[in-house]
Amino acid sequence: MLNLNYDEMFKISILALKINRSYPTILKDKLWLFSVIPMYGLFCFVFCLISNSMIFHDLKNDNFTAACTSGIFAVLFICVSFKYSVLLTKTEDITFAINKVKGDYASAKRLCSEEQAITSEYANRASWVTKVWLLTSFSVFSVFPTQVLVLSIYYYAIGDFQFVHMYQMTYPEALETNKNETYTYLFLLFMQIYYGLYVLLMYVGFTPLGLIFMLHACGRIEIVKYRISKLFEGEHYDPREIQQRLKNILMPLQDVLDFVDLLKETFRVVYEVYMKATTIVIPIALYEILEALKEARLSIEFMTFIVAGVVLCFAPCYYSDLLMEKGLSLRMCVYASGWEAYPDSAMRRTLCIIMCRLERDVAIRTLFRTVNLDAFSELCHQSYALFNVINAAWT
């Protein structure tokens, strides 16, 4: 028997959001507040250090390379804070979506074997996406502490030991003067690792949510499509049987369309921010890589930023495009079902209404555009154009 458990399949995302206290079902009481304030406060403290370095040192001294590095870390702070605000302001909607998926998994036990297979397929795909995103995010984060460890061992091996900082920046005078003293260095290293872990938790926890919901919607549309293909199955035309089959089609169809509308409203601004942030981060990271190559260095950390940024935007564009394709495929399935050959006018009108309803794209939208592969292509063009401007202005 099919046994899909949301909490078990997506425990990585759930655990990450519970650790940083942003999971929608966590009670927002005084205990929550007292835990969030110090956690987010330390995160803000490191952001202030980064901003101080970028504004009062890097830009002031025309060190554009260092300013770009600090700028990328500052963008991460803005994105993480925005995601946290979405989880707080859209708590009810996200909780409803999670419970909807859980309810559909529970009710899948009563479906036929073909529909159970469809549900299981898309649930497993969503679980796979969550694991891939964990691997991608952790790969980006792990580059920085690995770099610190490797360089520290190297300097020790050649007899010239020195402290290696995780992020290169200029600190306020009190910290800058003593940054290479043991306790000050350990404090700064702890804060930098904490900053990276906080970003990692939010990206691992929040980013897969939209993908999980989109894949679930694709699965529900596939089930409706399967039922339409069986609508006129049988040797004899039985109006009562057809009416019951139509009922089993209309209710889940309206259900999944309402679910997609909820996703559109919940993630409308989220994916717009993803697109804009990635459009900025990728050209800056490319510029940093080129500058490093000029100095005969290989900037692995910025290469991973580019890979993560591409995956971050490509995944929702791809799955939203898949969702749109499923909606179009469903409409064609209704049209090709052979409805015109049956005498029941009420049934024909119902199917015509379904086709009219499916004329509107079943896809996620941002504030200005549909999230699909065309949007990703446009993002790549904009990033390349911005890279050319940066490269021409500061080379």
Side-chain angles (χ1 to χ4, degrees):
M1 180 179 288
L2 184 67
N3 186 22
L4 299 175
N5 188 316
Y6 181 95
D7 292 335
E8 182 62 28
M9 298 187 73
F10 307 116
K11 59 185 178 183
I12 296 172
S13 173
I14 294 171
L15 180 61
L17 293 180
K18 284 185 175 180
I19 290 174
N20 69 6
R21 310 298 294 163
S22 63
Y23 194 65
T25 59
I26 292 178
L27 185 63
K28 307 303 187 292
D29 54 8
K30 290 182 179 179
L31 180 61
W32 172 83
L33 189 63
F34 288 146
S35 61
V36 166
I37 289 176
M39 290 175 65
Y40 190 75
L42 291 175
F43 185 57
C44 287
F45 174 73
V46 182
F47 171 71
C48 291
L49 293 179
I50 293 171
S51 300
N52 174 76
S53 177
M54 180 175 62
I55 297 171
F56 297 106
H57 297 280
D58 301 336
L59 293 176
K60 187 176 180 180
N61 298 326
D62 293 327
N63 188 347
F64 185 70
T65 300
C68 285
T69 304
S70 299
I72 290 178
F73 293 125
V75 168
L76 290 176
F77 171 85
I78 294 169
C79 289
V80 168
S81 300
F82 171 73
K83 290 176 182 179
Y84 213 121
S85 68
V86 170
L87 286 167
L88 292 179
T89 58
K90 299 288 185 178
T91 297
E92 291 185 6
D93 291 340
I94 295 175
T95 302
F96 178 84
I98 291 173
N99 290 334
K100 175 69 174 63
V101 177
K102 288 182 178 180
D104 288 341
Y105 284 173
S107 61
K109 298 175 182 178
R110 299 187 294 272
L111 301 178
C112 65
S113 59
E114 290 83 359
E115 293 177 1
Q116 285 186 357
I118 293 171
T119 305
S120 180
E121 176 191 350
Y122 283 93
N124 289 326
R125 287 178 68 175
S127 180
W128 177 81
V129 167
T130 304
K131 293 172 183 175
V132 169
W133 182 243
L134 170 65
L135 179 63
T136 303
S137 302
F138 186 77
S139 298
V140 175
F141 167 77
S142 62
V143 167
F144 293 93
T146 301
Q147 184 174 260
V148 170
L149 181 62
V150 170
L151 288 177
S152 297
I153 294 173
Y154 170 76
Y155 288 133
Y156 179 79
I158 64 175
D160 183 28
F161 180 76
Q162 53 186 282
F163 290 120
V164 179
H165 291 267
M166 203 165 165
Y167 315 140
Q168 297 301 321
M169 67 179 81
T170 304
Y171 300 97
E173 185 176 353
L175 290 175
E176 183 68 22
T177 305
N178 303 301
K179 70 178 182 179
N180 289 321
E181 294 184 2
T182 303
Y183 291 112
T184 306
Y185 168 77
L186 291 175
F187 168 74
L188 293 174
L189 182 62
F190 167 77
M191 295 304 300
Q192 291 174 337
I193 291 176
Y194 179 84
Y195 188 85
L197 282 174
Y198 200 94
V199 172
L200 176 67
L201 287 173
M202 184 55 76
Y203 272 81
V204 169
F206 181 83
T207 303
L209 283 178
L211 308 181
I212 292 169
F213 298 149
M214 279 189 269
L215 280 166
H216 181 70
C218 288
R220 300 302 292 176
I221 290 176
E222 278 293 311
I223 289 175
V224 174
K225 183 179 173 182
Y226 171 79
R227 291 180 181 179
I228 289 174
S229 69
K230 301 293 182 180
L231 180 60
F232 300 114
E233 193 177 57
E235 297 181 1
H236 303 287
Y237 178 77
D238 185 348
R240 288 176 298 180
E241 179 65 24
I242 297 297
Q243 186 178 12
Q244 182 59 42
R245 290 178 184 177
L246 270 176
K247 183 179 178 181
N248 292 335
I249 289 170
L250 287 172
M251 292 181 66
L253 175 60
Q254 186 58 51
D255 194 45
V256 71
L257 292 178
D258 289 343
F259 184 67
V260 172
D261 287 341
L262 175 69
L263 298 185
K264 289 179 183 179
E265 182 61 30
T266 304
F267 293 95
R268 183 186 303 275
V269 181
V270 172
Y271 289 131
E272 187 66 39
V273 171
Y274 279 6
M275 299 289 186
K276 293 294 187 287
T278 305
T279 302
I280 296 171
V281 168
I282 287 179
I284 292 177
L286 278 173
Y287 175 81
E288 290 288 332
I289 292 170
L290 287 181
E291 290 298 304
L293 289 174
K294 290 177 183 178
E295 300 173 4
R297 292 187 295 107
L298 192 61
S299 184
I300 299 176
E301 62 271 27
F302 287 104
M303 292 180 182
T304 59
F305 269 128
I306 292 175
V307 172
V310 169
V311 174
L312 177 68
C313 287
F314 177 78
C317 287
Y318 174 79
Y319 288 115
S320 179
D321 198 89
L322 178 65
L323 182 60
M324 187 165 58
E325 180 185 320
K326 294 295 181 185
L328 178 60
S329 174
L330 177 60
R331 184 165 179 263
M332 294 302 298
C333 182
V334 175
Y335 180 75
S337 63
W339 56 274
E340 71 282 355
Y342 291 86
D344 190 343
S345 60
M347 177 272 296
R348 295 202 302 269
R349 283 197 300 270
T350 301
L351 292 176
C352 285
I353 291 172
I354 291 175
M355 285 189 286
C356 291
R357 176 64 180 85
L358 291 171
E359 280 188 348
R360 190 173 62 183
D361 288 340
V362 183
I364 310 301
R365 284 190 56 84
T366 68
L367 294 173
F368 305 108
R369 55 191 168 186
T370 301
V371 180
N372 54 19
L373 292 177
D374 289 337
F376 180 75
S377 176
E378 183 182 344
L379 178 151
C380 294
H381 285 299
Q382 291 175 351
S383 294
Y384 181 70
L386 183 56
F387 167 73
N388 284 333
V389 171
I390 293 173
N391 199 36
W394 280 281
T395 299

